[in-house]
Amino acid sequence: MNYDILYTFVLTTSLLALSPGPDNIFVLMQGMVNGKKHGLSVVVGLTFGCLVHTTLVAFGVSAIIKQSEVLFFIIKLFGALYLFFLAYKVFKSSSSIDLSENSLPSKSLWGLFKQGFVMNVLNPKVSIFFLAFFPGFLFSKTLSNVVQFYVLGLLFMAVSFVVFGLIAVLAGSISDYLKTNAKIGIVLKWTQIIVFIGIGVFILFSEK
């Protein structure tokens, strides 16, 4: 078992979770407007939604890996190109973080959990991202691919929960800092670009 690969996976997942996106911005807004419990409810929903995508990718990709070296290479190539495309999209996007919304409709904790879960499950980009991200981080020659994908999925969920949970709990101070420090958006933007490109290169040259 290669623990260095797992450490790299956790580090890159942490950096990705910290990068501004619709999920963590939504968590931040709920925490600001309705309190940390509401923000944490969204976080739990988003996290459990990842389990669905992990299952889809684990069984689908594992079957392909077993069938053909060529198909596995095609998946790696697709994954690397997709991550390079994401890096390009981030490069072309604005570095500003928009927190201009004055309010959000108040919902129950259960309602926010369901909203976070549905937001994640119905977003096909999550499955595509997992499909691009996970195969390059297979870490064991003895464990089955399905087990390895689930380990990676659970690690991804754990890291995302911790990072998003901290965002929800610290929503007020984080939002104040983001509003008063325009340069942080540029730092996060380029961090995300570097991480996407780095993961893409890593996946492209990873071995089965």
Side-chain angles (χ1 to χ4, degrees):
M1 186 176 295
N2 192 330
Y3 289 100
D4 288 340
I5 292 179
L6 290 177
Y7 297 148
T8 304
F9 179 83
V10 170
L11 176 61
T12 53
T13 299
S14 302
L15 292 172
L16 290 171
L18 285 167
S19 301
D23 289 345
N24 49 20
I25 293 296
F26 184 70
V27 169
L28 179 59
M29 293 302 301
Q30 285 292 346
M32 286 170 52
V33 175
N34 296 314
K36 58 186 179 183
K37 287 185 179 179
H38 291 75
L40 287 171
S41 295
V42 177
V43 172
V44 175
L46 289 168
T47 302
F48 273 89
C50 289
L51 195 57
V52 176
H53 296 288
T54 299
T55 301
L56 292 174
V57 172
F59 286 96
V61 176
S62 292
I64 291 174
I65 290 174
K66 286 181 180 179
Q67 288 174 2
S68 171
E69 292 277 356
V70 174
L71 287 176
F72 180 62
F73 173 77
I74 291 172
I75 286 180
K76 288 200 308 178
L77 183 61
F78 160 79
L81 291 176
Y82 178 68
L83 289 162
F84 295 153
F85 171 70
L86 291 180
Y88 174 75
K89 284 188 67 177
V90 174
F91 173 74
K92 297 293 289 184
S93 67
S94 171
S95 60
S96 62
I97 301 174
D98 184 12
L99 298 175
S100 59
E101 297 162 90
N102 295 319
S103 63
L104 290 172
S106 181
K107 292 187 176 182
S108 67
L109 297 179
W110 174 243
L112 285 170
F113 169 84
K114 289 192 294 183
Q115 183 169 349
F117 181 81
V118 171
M119 277 174 60
N120 192 290
V121 169
L122 296 185
N123 184 358
K125 291 182 179 179
V126 178
S127 282
I128 294 173
F129 179 75
F130 279 17
L131 177 63
F133 190 43
F134 284 9
F137 290 90
L138 295 176
F139 55 88
S140 173
K141 295 186 180 296
T142 56
L143 294 175
S144 72
N145 291 326
V146 171
V147 170
Q148 291 184 72
F149 277 122
Y150 270 107
V151 170
L152 294 175
L154 291 173
L155 280 175
F156 187 95
M157 291 167 64
V159 171
S160 299
F161 178 81
V162 170
V163 174
F164 283 21
L166 287 173
I167 290 174
V169 171
L170 303 174
S173 57
I174 291 175
S175 64
D176 291 340
Y177 180 77
L178 292 177
K179 288 175 182 176
T180 57
N181 292 270
K183 291 183 179 179
I184 191 64
I186 298 174
V187 173
L188 292 173
K189 174 179 178 176
W190 279 100
T191 298
Q192 196 172 15
I193 291 170
I194 291 169
V195 169
F196 278 141
I197 292 175
I199 297 171
V201 172
F202 179 84
I203 288 174
L204 195 57
F205 291 98
S206 64
E207 296 182 357
K208 185 173 177 181

